[in-house]
Amino acid sequence: MVTRRFVLSSLALATAAAALPVSLSAMAPTSDRPKLLIFDVNETLLDLGKLQQAVNQEFQSETAFKQWFGLLLQYSLVDTVTGNYHNFGQIGDAALDMLAQALGQPARPAAHKKEILTLITELPPHPDIIPGLTALQKAGFRMVTLTNSPDATVKKQMAYASLTGFFEQLLSIDSLKRYKPHPETYHSTCQQLKVAPAQAMLIAAHGWDTAGAQLAGLQAAFISRPGQQVYPLAPAPTLTGPTLPDIARQLIG
Amino acid sequence: MVTRRFVLSSLALATAAAALPVSLSAMAPTSDRPKLLIFDVNETLLDLGKLQQAVNQEFQSETAFKQWFGLLLQYSLVDTVTGNYHNFGQIGDAALDMLAQALGQPARPAAHKKEILTLITELPPHPDIIPGLTALQKAGFRMVTLTNSPDATVKKQMAYASLTGFFEQLLSIDSLKRYKPHPETYHSTCQQLKVAPAQAMLIAAHGWDTAGAQLAGLQAAFISRPGQQVYPLAPAPTLTGPTLPDIARQLIG
Protein backbone atom coordinates (compact mmCIF):
# COMPACT_ATOMS: atom_id res chain seq x y z
CA MET A 1 0.00 0.00 0.00
CA VAL A 2 1.40 3.37 -1.00
CA THR A 3 1.05 6.04 1.69
CA ARG A 4 -0.16 9.56 1.02
CA ARG A 5 3.19 10.89 2.25
CA PHE A 6 5.03 8.74 -0.29
CA VAL A 7 2.74 9.92 -3.09
CA LEU A 8 3.34 13.54 -2.17
CA SER A 9 7.10 13.15 -1.81
CA SER A 10 7.22 11.32 -5.14
CA LEU A 11 5.32 14.10 -6.84
CA ALA A 12 7.61 16.68 -5.24
CA LEU A 13 10.68 14.75 -6.41
CA ALA A 14 9.29 14.46 -9.93
CA THR A 15 8.53 18.17 -10.02
CA ALA A 16 12.00 19.02 -8.74
CA ALA A 17 13.58 16.69 -11.30
CA ALA A 18 11.51 18.24 -14.09
CA ALA A 19 12.87 21.66 -13.16
CA LEU A 20 16.54 20.60 -13.47
CA PRO A 21 18.39 21.80 -16.56
CA VAL A 22 19.07 18.95 -18.98
CA SER A 23 22.83 19.05 -18.45
CA LEU A 24 22.52 18.19 -14.75
CA SER A 25 20.60 15.02 -15.57
CA ALA A 26 23.24 13.73 -17.97
CA MET A 27 25.82 12.43 -15.50
CA ALA A 28 29.10 10.87 -16.59
CA PRO A 29 28.73 7.12 -16.07
CA THR A 30 32.29 6.74 -14.81
CA SER A 31 31.68 9.02 -11.83
CA ASP A 32 28.13 7.79 -11.22
CA ARG A 33 28.29 4.09 -12.00
CA PRO A 34 24.77 2.88 -11.15
CA LYS A 35 24.36 0.32 -8.36
CA LEU A 36 21.18 -1.11 -9.83
CA LEU A 37 20.13 -1.69 -13.45
CA ILE A 38 16.35 -1.76 -14.01
CA PHE A 39 15.34 -3.38 -17.29
CA ASP A 40 12.16 -2.79 -19.23
CA VAL A 41 10.94 -6.08 -20.79
CA ASN A 42 8.67 -5.78 -23.87
CA GLU A 43 10.64 -4.54 -26.93
CA THR A 44 13.72 -3.94 -24.72
CA LEU A 45 14.67 -7.51 -23.74
CA LEU A 46 12.12 -9.41 -25.83
CA ASP A 47 11.51 -9.33 -29.57
CA LEU A 48 7.76 -8.73 -30.13
CA GLY A 49 8.08 -9.79 -33.81
CA LYS A 50 6.00 -12.97 -33.37
CA LEU A 51 3.15 -11.03 -31.74
CA GLN A 52 3.41 -8.28 -34.37
CA GLN A 53 3.09 -10.80 -37.17
CA ALA A 54 0.08 -12.48 -35.51
CA VAL A 55 -1.80 -9.19 -34.93
CA ASN A 56 -1.06 -7.89 -38.44
CA GLN A 57 -2.20 -11.18 -39.97
CA GLU A 58 -5.34 -11.34 -37.82
CA PHE A 59 -6.44 -7.84 -38.87
CA GLN A 60 -5.02 -8.07 -42.42
CA SER A 61 -3.09 -4.83 -41.97
CA GLU A 62 0.62 -4.05 -41.85
CA THR A 63 0.00 -1.36 -39.22
CA ALA A 64 -2.49 -3.23 -36.98
CA PHE A 65 0.14 -4.20 -34.37
CA LYS A 66 1.45 -0.63 -34.09
CA GLN A 67 -2.10 0.68 -33.66
CA TRP A 68 -2.87 -2.00 -31.06
CA PHE A 69 0.33 -1.40 -29.07
CA GLY A 70 -0.30 2.37 -29.22
CA LEU A 71 -3.82 1.88 -27.82
CA LEU A 72 -2.42 -0.41 -25.09
CA LEU A 73 0.09 2.24 -24.00
CA GLN A 74 -2.40 5.12 -24.26
CA TYR A 75 -5.10 3.36 -22.23
CA SER A 76 -2.61 2.20 -19.58
CA LEU A 77 -2.02 5.93 -18.98
CA VAL A 78 -5.75 6.70 -19.21
CA ASP A 79 -6.25 4.13 -16.41
CA THR A 80 -3.35 5.63 -14.44
CA VAL A 81 -4.63 9.22 -14.48
CA THR A 82 -8.26 8.22 -13.88
CA GLY A 83 -7.53 5.68 -11.09
CA ASN A 84 -9.30 2.96 -13.10
CA TYR A 85 -6.64 0.21 -12.96
CA HIS A 86 -6.77 -2.94 -15.08
CA ASN A 87 -3.77 -5.15 -15.74
CA PHE A 88 -1.82 -5.01 -19.03
CA GLY A 89 -3.45 -8.25 -20.23
CA GLN A 90 -6.94 -6.85 -19.66
CA ILE A 91 -6.10 -3.58 -21.46
CA GLY A 92 -4.43 -5.58 -24.27
CA ASP A 93 -7.67 -7.53 -24.68
CA ALA A 94 -9.78 -4.34 -24.68
CA ALA A 95 -7.37 -2.79 -27.19
CA LEU A 96 -8.00 -5.72 -29.57
CA ASP A 97 -11.74 -4.87 -29.42
CA MET A 98 -11.04 -1.16 -29.97
CA LEU A 99 -8.73 -1.97 -32.88
CA ALA A 100 -11.37 -4.18 -34.52
CA GLN A 101 -13.91 -1.36 -34.20
CA ALA A 102 -11.44 1.25 -35.52
CA LEU A 103 -10.84 -0.94 -38.57
CA GLY A 104 -14.57 -1.59 -39.09
CA GLN A 105 -14.11 -5.31 -38.38
CA PRO A 106 -16.08 -7.60 -36.04
CA ALA A 107 -14.83 -8.14 -32.46
CA ARG A 108 -12.93 -11.39 -32.04
CA PRO A 109 -14.25 -14.14 -29.71
CA ALA A 110 -12.69 -14.15 -26.21
CA ALA A 111 -10.87 -17.46 -26.74
CA HIS A 112 -9.33 -16.21 -29.96
CA LYS A 113 -8.12 -12.97 -28.34
CA LYS A 114 -6.58 -15.03 -25.52
CA GLU A 115 -4.73 -17.15 -28.09
CA ILE A 116 -3.20 -14.01 -29.64
CA LEU A 117 -2.35 -12.43 -26.28
CA THR A 118 -0.69 -15.63 -25.01
CA LEU A 119 2.05 -15.03 -27.59
CA ILE A 120 3.45 -12.30 -25.32
CA THR A 121 4.64 -15.09 -22.97
CA GLU A 122 6.39 -16.95 -25.82
CA LEU A 123 8.85 -14.39 -27.16
CA PRO A 124 12.58 -14.81 -27.76
CA PRO A 125 15.11 -12.28 -26.44
CA HIS A 126 16.60 -9.89 -29.00
CA PRO A 127 19.91 -11.41 -30.20
CA ASP A 128 21.98 -8.77 -28.36
CA ILE A 129 20.36 -9.40 -24.97
CA ILE A 130 22.09 -12.54 -23.63
CA PRO A 131 25.60 -11.24 -24.55
CA GLY A 132 24.75 -7.86 -22.97
CA LEU A 133 23.26 -9.29 -19.77
CA THR A 134 26.19 -11.74 -19.45
CA ALA A 135 28.73 -8.89 -19.64
CA LEU A 136 26.82 -6.81 -17.09
CA GLN A 137 26.39 -9.79 -14.73
CA LYS A 138 30.14 -10.55 -14.93
CA ALA A 139 30.87 -6.90 -14.14
CA GLY A 140 28.88 -7.32 -10.90
CA PHE A 141 25.79 -5.21 -11.59
CA ARG A 142 22.61 -5.89 -9.63
CA MET A 143 19.82 -6.32 -12.21
CA VAL A 144 16.00 -6.40 -11.97
CA THR A 145 13.09 -6.03 -14.40
CA LEU A 146 10.37 -3.40 -14.19
CA THR A 147 7.57 -4.04 -16.65
CA ASN A 148 4.00 -2.90 -17.28
CA SER A 149 3.06 -6.60 -17.72
CA PRO A 150 1.58 -8.36 -14.65
CA ASP A 151 3.77 -10.42 -12.28
CA ALA A 152 2.63 -13.80 -13.62
CA THR A 153 3.28 -12.70 -17.22
CA VAL A 154 6.84 -11.45 -16.65
CA LYS A 155 7.69 -14.68 -14.81
CA LYS A 156 6.46 -16.74 -17.79
CA GLN A 157 8.20 -14.39 -20.25
CA MET A 158 11.59 -14.60 -18.56
CA ALA A 159 11.35 -18.39 -18.13
CA TYR A 160 10.44 -18.88 -21.82
CA ALA A 161 13.32 -16.61 -22.91
CA SER A 162 15.76 -18.29 -20.45
CA LEU A 163 16.57 -14.92 -18.85
CA THR A 164 15.35 -15.50 -15.26
CA GLY A 165 18.83 -16.28 -13.91
CA PHE A 166 20.17 -12.82 -14.76
CA PHE A 167 17.78 -10.98 -12.42
CA GLU A 168 17.69 -10.48 -8.66
CA GLN A 169 13.93 -9.87 -8.88
CA LEU A 170 11.28 -9.77 -11.61
CA LEU A 171 9.31 -6.65 -10.73
CA SER A 172 6.18 -5.33 -12.40
CA ILE A 173 3.99 -2.28 -11.81
CA ASP A 174 1.03 -4.60 -11.13
CA SER A 175 1.12 -4.34 -7.33
CA LEU A 176 1.42 -0.51 -7.49
CA LYS A 177 -1.51 -0.19 -9.94
CA ARG A 178 0.08 2.73 -11.78
CA TYR A 179 1.82 2.37 -15.11
CA LYS A 180 5.24 3.56 -16.20
CA PRO A 181 6.26 6.36 -16.70
CA HIS A 182 4.55 7.45 -13.44
CA PRO A 183 7.37 8.46 -11.04
CA GLU A 184 6.08 6.13 -8.30
CA THR A 185 6.82 3.08 -10.45
CA TYR A 186 10.55 3.90 -10.51
CA HIS A 187 10.66 5.16 -6.91
CA SER A 188 8.89 2.07 -5.60
CA THR A 189 11.48 -0.15 -7.35
CA CYS A 190 14.38 1.85 -5.89
CA GLN A 191 12.77 1.72 -2.45
CA GLN A 192 12.27 -2.06 -2.62
CA LEU A 193 15.88 -2.58 -3.70
CA LYS A 194 17.17 -0.02 -1.15
CA VAL A 195 18.97 2.12 -3.74
CA ALA A 196 18.65 5.92 -4.12
CA PRO A 197 17.02 6.96 -7.44
CA ALA A 198 20.25 8.64 -8.64
CA GLN A 199 22.13 5.35 -8.09
CA ALA A 200 19.75 3.40 -10.30
CA MET A 201 19.59 3.26 -14.11
CA LEU A 202 16.59 2.30 -16.21
CA ILE A 203 17.47 0.54 -19.47
CA ALA A 204 14.72 0.65 -22.11
CA ALA A 205 14.01 0.87 -25.83
CA HIS A 206 11.15 3.38 -25.30
CA GLY A 207 11.69 7.13 -25.07
CA TRP A 208 8.70 7.61 -22.75
CA ASP A 209 10.23 5.13 -20.30
CA THR A 210 13.73 6.66 -20.21
CA ALA A 211 12.12 10.13 -19.97
CA GLY A 212 9.97 9.04 -17.03
CA ALA A 213 12.92 7.50 -15.19
CA GLN A 214 15.07 10.59 -15.65
CA LEU A 215 12.30 12.97 -14.60
CA ALA A 216 11.98 10.78 -11.47
CA GLY A 217 15.69 11.33 -10.74
CA LEU A 218 17.14 8.06 -12.07
CA GLN A 219 19.79 7.64 -14.75
CA ALA A 220 18.58 6.07 -18.01
CA ALA A 221 20.04 4.24 -21.01
CA PHE A 222 18.17 4.17 -24.32
CA ILE A 223 18.61 1.18 -26.64
CA SER A 224 17.86 2.76 -30.00
CA ARG A 225 16.12 -0.19 -31.70
CA PRO A 226 14.79 0.49 -35.23
CA GLY A 227 11.53 2.52 -35.17
CA GLN A 228 12.05 3.69 -31.56
CA GLN A 229 12.76 7.30 -30.59
CA VAL A 230 13.50 9.42 -27.55
CA TYR A 231 10.98 12.11 -26.52
CA PRO A 232 12.46 15.41 -27.74
CA LEU A 233 10.84 17.37 -24.87
CA ALA A 234 12.56 15.39 -22.07
CA PRO A 235 16.22 15.32 -20.95
CA ALA A 236 18.48 13.30 -23.28
CA PRO A 237 19.20 9.78 -21.95
CA THR A 238 22.34 9.41 -19.80
CA LEU A 239 23.58 6.76 -22.27
CA THR A 240 22.44 5.76 -25.76
CA GLY A 241 23.47 2.84 -27.93
CA PRO A 242 22.07 0.60 -30.66
CA THR A 243 22.42 -2.62 -28.61
CA LEU A 244 22.75 -3.77 -24.99
CA PRO A 245 26.45 -4.78 -25.38
CA ASP A 246 27.08 -1.23 -26.59
CA ILE A 247 25.40 0.17 -23.45
CA ALA A 248 27.31 -2.41 -21.34
CA ARG A 249 30.66 -1.24 -22.79
CA GLN A 250 29.83 2.35 -21.83
CA LEU A 251 28.84 1.25 -18.31
CA ILE A 252 31.81 -1.05 -17.69
CA GLY A 253 34.30 1.27 -19.36
CA MET B 1 -2.32 27.62 -9.10
CA VAL B 2 -3.83 24.33 -7.93
CA THR B 3 -3.62 23.81 -4.18
CA ARG B 4 -2.48 20.57 -2.58
CA ARG B 5 -5.88 20.27 -0.90
CA PHE B 6 -7.63 20.50 -4.28
CA VAL B 7 -5.32 17.86 -5.76
CA LEU B 8 -6.02 15.50 -2.86
CA SER B 9 -9.77 16.06 -2.91
CA SER B 10 -9.83 15.54 -6.69
CA LEU B 11 -7.91 12.29 -6.33
CA ALA B 12 -10.27 11.17 -3.56
CA LEU B 13 -13.29 12.01 -5.73
CA ALA B 14 -11.82 10.16 -8.70
CA THR B 15 -11.09 7.11 -6.57
CA ALA B 16 -14.61 7.19 -5.14
CA ALA B 17 -16.07 7.52 -8.63
CA ALA B 18 -13.92 4.65 -9.91
CA ALA B 19 -15.30 2.42 -7.16
CA LEU B 20 -18.96 3.04 -8.11
CA PRO B 21 -20.75 0.23 -9.92
CA VAL B 22 -21.32 1.08 -13.58
CA SER B 23 -25.13 1.26 -13.21
CA LEU B 24 -24.90 4.18 -10.77
CA SER B 25 -22.91 6.26 -13.28
CA ALA B 26 -25.47 5.78 -16.07
CA MET B 27 -28.13 8.22 -14.97
CA ALA B 28 -31.38 8.73 -16.85
CA PRO B 29 -31.07 12.08 -18.66
CA THR B 30 -34.70 12.98 -18.00
CA SER B 31 -34.26 12.95 -14.22
CA ASP B 32 -30.71 14.39 -14.33
CA ARG B 33 -30.82 16.92 -17.15
CA PRO B 34 -27.32 18.45 -17.06
CA LYS B 35 -26.99 22.16 -16.26
CA LEU B 36 -23.75 22.51 -18.19
CA LEU B 37 -22.56 20.91 -21.44
CA ILE B 38 -18.77 20.67 -21.81
CA PHE B 39 -17.64 20.11 -25.40
CA ASP B 40 -14.40 18.53 -26.53
CA VAL B 41 -13.11 20.32 -29.66
CA ASN B 42 -10.75 18.32 -31.92
CA GLU B 43 -12.61 15.51 -33.75
CA THR B 44 -15.76 16.27 -31.71
CA LEU B 45 -16.72 19.74 -33.01
CA LEU B 46 -14.09 20.10 -35.73
CA ASP B 47 -13.36 17.89 -38.71
CA LEU B 48 -9.60 17.11 -38.71
CA GLY B 49 -9.79 15.83 -42.31
CA LYS B 50 -7.69 18.69 -43.74
CA LEU B 51 -4.92 18.09 -41.18
CA GLN B 52 -5.12 14.32 -41.73
CA GLN B 53 -4.69 14.76 -45.48
CA ALA B 54 -1.72 17.12 -45.01
CA VAL B 55 0.12 14.79 -42.57
CA ASN B 56 -0.53 11.68 -44.68
CA GLN B 57 0.68 13.50 -47.81
CA GLU B 58 3.75 14.91 -46.05
CA PHE B 59 4.87 11.46 -44.85
CA GLN B 60 3.55 9.60 -47.90
CA SER B 61 1.59 7.16 -45.74
CA GLU B 62 -2.13 6.56 -45.31
CA THR B 63 -1.62 5.91 -41.58
CA ALA B 64 0.81 8.76 -40.75
CA PHE B 65 -1.88 11.02 -39.27
CA LYS B 66 -3.24 8.25 -37.02
CA GLN B 67 0.29 7.49 -35.80
CA TRP B 68 1.00 11.19 -35.22
CA PHE B 69 -2.26 11.83 -33.34
CA GLY B 70 -1.66 8.67 -31.27
CA LEU B 71 1.82 9.94 -30.29
CA LEU B 72 0.35 13.36 -29.44
CA LEU B 73 -2.23 11.81 -27.10
CA GLN B 74 0.25 9.34 -25.56
CA TYR B 75 2.89 11.97 -24.85
CA SER B 76 0.34 14.43 -23.43
CA LEU B 77 -0.31 11.74 -20.81
CA VAL B 78 3.42 11.01 -20.42
CA ASP B 79 3.84 14.73 -19.62
CA THR B 80 0.87 14.63 -17.24
CA VAL B 81 2.11 11.69 -15.15
CA THR B 82 5.73 12.90 -15.11
CA GLY B 83 4.94 16.57 -14.35
CA ASN B 84 6.81 17.64 -17.51
CA TYR B 85 4.17 19.93 -19.07
CA HIS B 86 4.40 21.27 -22.62
CA ASN B 87 1.43 22.65 -24.53
CA PHE B 88 -0.41 20.61 -27.19
CA GLY B 89 1.28 22.56 -30.00
CA GLN B 90 4.76 21.79 -28.61
CA ILE B 91 3.94 18.09 -28.21
CA GLY B 92 2.38 18.05 -31.69
CA ASP B 93 5.66 19.46 -33.08
CA ALA B 94 7.74 16.88 -31.15
CA ALA B 95 5.38 14.13 -32.37
CA LEU B 96 6.12 15.14 -35.99
CA ASP B 97 9.84 14.57 -35.25
CA MET B 98 9.13 11.23 -33.58
CA LEU B 99 6.92 10.18 -36.48
CA ALA B 100 9.64 11.06 -39.02
CA GLN B 101 12.13 8.97 -37.05
CA ALA B 102 9.68 6.05 -36.68
CA LEU B 103 9.20 6.05 -40.46
CA GLY B 104 12.94 6.33 -41.14
CA GLN B 105 12.49 9.77 -42.73
CA PRO B 106 14.40 13.01 -42.09
CA ALA B 107 13.05 15.51 -39.53
CA ARG B 108 11.15 18.38 -41.13
CA PRO B 109 12.42 21.99 -40.79
CA ALA B 110 10.76 24.01 -37.99
CA ALA B 111 8.98 26.38 -40.40
CA HIS B 112 7.54 23.48 -42.35
CA LYS B 113 6.27 21.77 -39.20
CA LYS B 114 4.64 25.04 -38.14
CA GLU B 115 2.89 25.27 -41.51
CA ILE B 116 1.39 21.80 -41.00
CA LEU B 117 0.42 22.45 -37.37
CA THR B 118 -1.24 25.78 -38.25
CA LEU B 119 -3.91 23.78 -40.10
CA ILE B 120 -5.41 22.85 -36.71
CA THR B 121 -6.65 26.46 -36.46
CA GLU B 122 -8.30 26.32 -39.90
CA LEU B 123 -10.72 23.43 -39.59
CA PRO B 124 -14.43 23.39 -40.45
CA PRO B 125 -17.02 22.06 -38.01
CA HIS B 126 -18.46 18.61 -38.74
CA PRO B 127 -21.72 19.12 -40.71
CA ASP B 128 -23.88 18.00 -37.73
CA ILE B 129 -22.37 20.52 -35.29
CA ILE B 130 -24.11 23.81 -36.08
CA PRO B 131 -27.60 22.18 -36.19
CA GLY B 132 -26.82 20.35 -32.91
CA LEU B 133 -25.43 23.40 -31.09
CA THR B 134 -28.34 25.54 -32.34
CA ALA B 135 -30.90 23.08 -30.93
CA LEU B 136 -29.10 22.89 -27.58
CA GLN B 137 -28.73 26.68 -27.37
CA LYS B 138 -32.46 27.15 -28.09
CA ALA B 139 -33.24 24.63 -25.34
CA GLY B 140 -31.35 26.85 -22.90
CA PHE B 141 -28.26 24.79 -22.14
CA ARG B 142 -25.12 26.49 -20.84
CA MET B 143 -22.26 25.40 -23.10
CA VAL B 144 -18.44 25.64 -22.84
CA THR B 145 -15.46 23.95 -24.52
CA LEU B 146 -12.77 21.97 -22.71
CA THR B 147 -9.89 21.09 -25.01
CA ASN B 148 -6.31 19.84 -24.75
CA SER B 149 -5.31 22.62 -27.20
CA PRO B 150 -3.93 25.84 -25.67
CA ASP B 151 -6.18 28.86 -25.02
CA ALA B 152 -4.97 30.86 -28.02
CA THR B 153 -5.51 27.87 -30.34
CA VAL B 154 -9.09 27.14 -29.27
CA LYS B 155 -9.98 30.84 -29.68
CA LYS B 156 -8.63 30.79 -33.25
CA GLN B 157 -10.29 27.43 -33.95
CA MET B 158 -13.75 28.56 -32.80
CA ALA B 159 -13.49 31.88 -34.65
CA TYR B 160 -12.44 30.16 -37.89
CA ALA B 161 -15.31 27.64 -37.57
CA SER B 162 -17.81 30.41 -36.61
CA LEU B 163 -18.72 28.59 -33.38
CA THR B 164 -17.61 31.16 -30.76
CA GLY B 165 -21.12 32.53 -30.22
CA PHE B 166 -22.48 29.22 -28.95
CA PHE B 167 -20.19 29.11 -25.91
CA GLU B 168 -20.22 30.87 -22.55
CA GLN B 169 -16.47 30.27 -22.25
CA LEU B 170 -13.72 28.66 -24.34
CA LEU B 171 -11.80 26.64 -21.75
CA SER B 172 -8.63 24.64 -22.25
CA ILE B 173 -6.48 22.50 -19.92
CA ASP B 174 -3.52 24.82 -20.62
CA SER B 175 -3.72 26.81 -17.37
CA LEU B 176 -4.06 23.61 -15.29
CA LYS B 177 -1.06 21.96 -17.00
CA ARG B 178 -2.62 18.50 -16.87
CA TYR B 179 -4.25 16.83 -19.85
CA LYS B 180 -7.63 15.19 -20.15
CA PRO B 181 -8.67 12.62 -18.98
CA HIS B 182 -7.07 13.64 -15.63
CA PRO B 183 -9.99 14.17 -13.19
CA GLU B 184 -8.76 17.68 -12.27
CA THR B 185 -9.41 18.91 -15.81
CA TYR B 186 -13.14 18.15 -15.50
CA HIS B 187 -13.39 19.21 -11.84
CA SER B 188 -11.64 22.50 -12.51
CA THR B 189 -14.14 23.28 -15.30
CA CYS B 190 -17.11 22.46 -13.04
CA GLN B 191 -15.60 24.57 -10.28
CA GLN B 192 -15.07 27.56 -12.59
CA LEU B 193 -18.63 27.34 -13.89
CA LYS B 194 -20.02 26.71 -10.35
CA VAL B 195 -21.75 23.45 -11.29
CA ALA B 196 -21.47 20.13 -9.38
CA PRO B 197 -19.74 17.38 -11.43
CA ALA B 198 -22.95 15.27 -11.54
CA GLN B 199 -24.81 18.25 -13.07
CA ALA B 200 -22.33 18.58 -15.94
CA MET B 201 -22.06 16.50 -19.10
CA LEU B 202 -18.98 16.11 -21.27
CA ILE B 203 -19.73 15.62 -24.97
CA ALA B 204 -16.90 14.03 -26.96
CA ALA B 205 -16.07 11.70 -29.83
CA HIS B 206 -13.26 10.00 -27.85
CA GLY B 207 -13.84 7.06 -25.51
CA TRP B 208 -10.92 8.06 -23.24
CA ASP B 209 -12.51 11.49 -22.74
CA THR B 210 -16.03 10.24 -21.89
CA ALA B 211 -14.46 7.57 -19.64
CA GLY B 212 -12.39 10.19 -17.80
CA ALA B 213 -15.38 12.49 -17.29
CA GLN B 214 -17.56 9.68 -15.94
CA LEU B 215 -14.84 8.38 -13.62
CA ALA B 216 -14.60 11.98 -12.34
CA GLY B 217 -18.33 11.92 -11.54
CA LEU B 218 -19.71 13.80 -14.58
CA GLN B 219 -22.27 12.57 -17.09
CA ALA B 220 -20.93 11.96 -20.62
CA ALA B 221 -22.27 11.70 -24.14
CA PHE B 222 -20.30 9.85 -26.83
CA ILE B 223 -20.64 10.93 -30.46
CA SER B 224 -19.80 7.69 -32.28
CA ARG B 225 -17.97 9.14 -35.29
CA PRO B 226 -16.53 6.56 -37.74
CA GLY B 227 -13.31 4.98 -36.40
CA GLN B 228 -13.96 6.11 -32.80
CA GLN B 229 -14.74 3.73 -29.95
CA VAL B 230 -15.59 3.76 -26.26
CA TYR B 231 -13.13 2.20 -23.77
CA PRO B 232 -14.60 -1.22 -22.91
CA LEU B 233 -13.08 -1.13 -19.38
CA ALA B 234 -14.88 2.08 -18.31
CA PRO B 235 -18.57 2.74 -17.56
CA ALA B 236 -20.74 3.00 -20.71
CA PRO B 237 -21.46 6.65 -21.68
CA THR B 238 -24.65 8.17 -20.25
CA LEU B 239 -25.79 8.87 -23.83
CA THR B 240 -24.52 7.67 -27.21
CA GLY B 241 -25.49 8.78 -30.71
CA PRO B 242 -23.96 9.04 -34.20
CA THR B 243 -24.35 12.86 -34.39
CA LEU B 244 -24.80 15.89 -32.12
CA PRO B 245 -28.47 16.43 -33.15
CA ASP B 246 -29.09 12.83 -32.10
CA ILE B 247 -27.52 13.54 -28.67
CA ALA B 248 -29.48 16.84 -28.50
CA ARG B 249 -32.79 15.01 -29.11
CA GLN B 250 -32.02 12.65 -26.22
CA LEU B 251 -31.15 15.60 -23.97
CA ILE B 252 -34.10 17.79 -24.90
CA GLY B 253 -36.56 14.87 -24.98
Side-chain angles (χ1 to χ4, degrees):
Chain A
M1 193 64 193
V2 177
T3 64
R4 175 180 289 190
R5 179 171 298 181
F6 182 64
V7 172
L8 287 172
S9 68
S10 301
L11 287 170
L13 259 172
T15 310
L20 286 176
V22 174
S23 57
L24 283 186
S25 296
M27 290 172 286
T30 47
S31 59
D32 290 277
R33 176 174 161 144
K35 292 188 175 163
L36 176 70
L37 303 180
I38 303 170
F39 285 84
D40 172 52
V41 172
N42 300 311
E43 281 186 337
T44 298
L45 298 178
L46 304 182
D47 180 355
L48 300 189
K50 202 159 74 173
L51 183 58
Q52 173 159 10
Q53 206 174 0
V55 173
N56 286 350
Q57 196 175 325
E58 176 66 34
F59 291 92
Q60 294 289 305
S61 157
E62 278 309 298
T63 57
F65 171 80
K66 269 190 194 160
Q67 260 185 277
W68 172 75
F69 203 64
L71 285 168
L72 175 56
L73 294 174
Q74 186 193 348
Y75 278 86
S76 71
L77 291 176
V78 166
D79 265 9
T80 296
V81 302
T82 59
N84 182 44
Y85 185 76
H86 302 86
N87 78 31
F88 218 45
Q90 293 170 309
I91 304 176
D93 179 285
L96 286 177
D97 290 342
M98 288 189 276
L99 176 62
Q101 220 175 334
L103 296 172
Q105 298 182 18
R108 271 46 175 186
H112 190 45
K113 287 189 287 178
K114 198 174 170 186
E115 214 173 282
I116 296 170
L117 293 170
T118 298
L119 291 176
I120 207 164
T121 61
E122 298 168 6
L123 301 171
H126 283 290
D128 61 309
I129 289 303
I130 289 181
L133 291 175
T134 303
L136 291 165
Q137 193 174 49
K138 277 190 187 152
F141 283 100
R142 294 176 67 190
M143 302 195 282
V144 299
T145 66
L146 177 62
T147 176
N148 278 340
S149 288
D151 292 318
T153 304
V154 65
K155 285 195 174 67
K156 281 185 203 162
Q157 287 182 305
M158 293 297 100
Y160 184 92
S162 302
L163 297 180
T164 312
F166 287 108
F167 299 103
E168 187 176 322
Q169 284 192 52
L170 300 179
L171 298 176
S172 127
I173 60 83
D174 201 30
S175 55
L176 197 66
K177 305 209 181 307
R178 286 170 190 255
Y179 282 95
K180 290 192 288 179
H182 194 290
E184 275 183 50
T185 60
Y186 310 106
H187 291 162
S188 164
T189 300
C190 293
Q191 207 178 35
Q192 281 184 65
L193 279 296
K194 302 194 191 314
V195 167
Q199 295 178 321
M201 173 178 276
L202 179 87
I203 301 182
H206 297 126
W208 51 266
D209 205 355
T210 58
Q214 288 182 281
L215 292 166
L218 285 74
Q219 300 178 55
F222 177 67
I223 305 181
S224 56
R225 301 207 182 282
Q228 300 298 332
Q229 333 63 60
V230 297
Y231 180 39
L233 302 177
T238 322
L239 302 176
T240 301
T243 64
L244 186 57
D246 190 79
I247 300 287
R249 270 190 295 277
Q250 296 179 64
L251 274 169
I252 298 165
Chain B
M1 194 63 193
V2 176
T3 64
R4 176 180 289 191
R5 179 172 299 182
F6 181 65
V7 172
L8 287 174
S9 69
S10 302
L11 286 172
L13 260 173
T15 310
L20 286 176
V22 172
S23 57
L24 284 185
S25 297
M27 290 170 287
T30 46
S31 58
D32 292 276
R33 177 173 159 142
K35 293 187 174 162
L36 176 70
L37 302 180
I38 304 171
F39 284 85
D40 173 53
V41 173
N42 299 312
E43 283 188 334
T44 298
L45 298 177
L46 303 182
D47 180 355
L48 300 189
K50 201 158 77 175
L51 183 58
Q52 173 160 7
Q53 205 174 2
V55 173
N56 286 350
Q57 196 176 326
E58 176 65 33
F59 292 94
Q60 293 289 304
S61 156
E62 277 309 300
T63 57
F65 172 80
K66 269 190 195 163
Q67 261 185 276
W68 172 75
F69 202 64
L71 285 167
L72 175 55
L73 293 174
Q74 186 193 348
Y75 279 86
S76 72
L77 290 178
V78 166
D79 265 10
T80 296
V81 301
T82 60
N84 182 43
Y85 185 77
H86 302 86
N87 76 32
F88 218 46
Q90 292 171 308
I91 304 177
D93 179 285
L96 286 176
D97 290 342
M98 288 188 276
L99 176 64
Q101 220 175 333
L103 297 173
Q105 298 182 20
R108 272 47 176 186
H112 189 45
K113 286 188 287 177
K114 197 175 171 184
E115 213 173 283
I116 296 170
L117 293 170
T118 298
L119 291 176
I120 208 165
T121 61
E122 298 168 5
L123 300 171
H126 283 291
D128 61 309
I129 289 303
I130 290 181
L133 291 175
T134 304
L136 290 166
Q137 194 175 46
K138 277 190 187 153
F141 283 98
R142 294 176 67 190
M143 303 195 282
V144 299
T145 65
L146 177 62
T147 176
N148 279 339
S149 288
D151 292 320
T153 304
V154 64
K155 284 195 175 67
K156 283 185 203 161
Q157 287 182 306
M158 294 296 100
Y160 184 92
S162 302
L163 297 181
T164 311
F166 288 107
F167 299 102
E168 186 177 323
Q169 284 194 50
L170 299 179
L171 298 176
S172 127
I173 61 83
D174 201 29
S175 56
L176 196 66
K177 304 209 183 308
R178 288 172 189 253
Y179 282 95
K180 290 191 289 178
H182 195 290
E184 274 184 49
T185 59
Y186 309 106
H187 290 163
S188 164
T189 300
C190 293
Q191 207 176 36
Q192 281 184 66
L193 279 296
K194 301 194 193 312
V195 167
Q199 295 177 320
M201 175 178 276
L202 178 86
I203 300 181
H206 296 127
W208 51 266
D209 205 353
T210 57
Q214 288 182 280
L215 292 165
L218 284 74
Q219 300 178 55
F222 177 68
I223 305 181
S224 55
R225 301 209 183 281
Q228 301 298 332
Q229 335 59 62
V230 297
Y231 180 37
L233 302 178
T238 320
L239 302 176
T240 300
T243 65
L244 186 57
D246 189 78
I247 300 287
R249 270 189 296 276
Q250 295 179 63
L251 274 169
I252 297 164

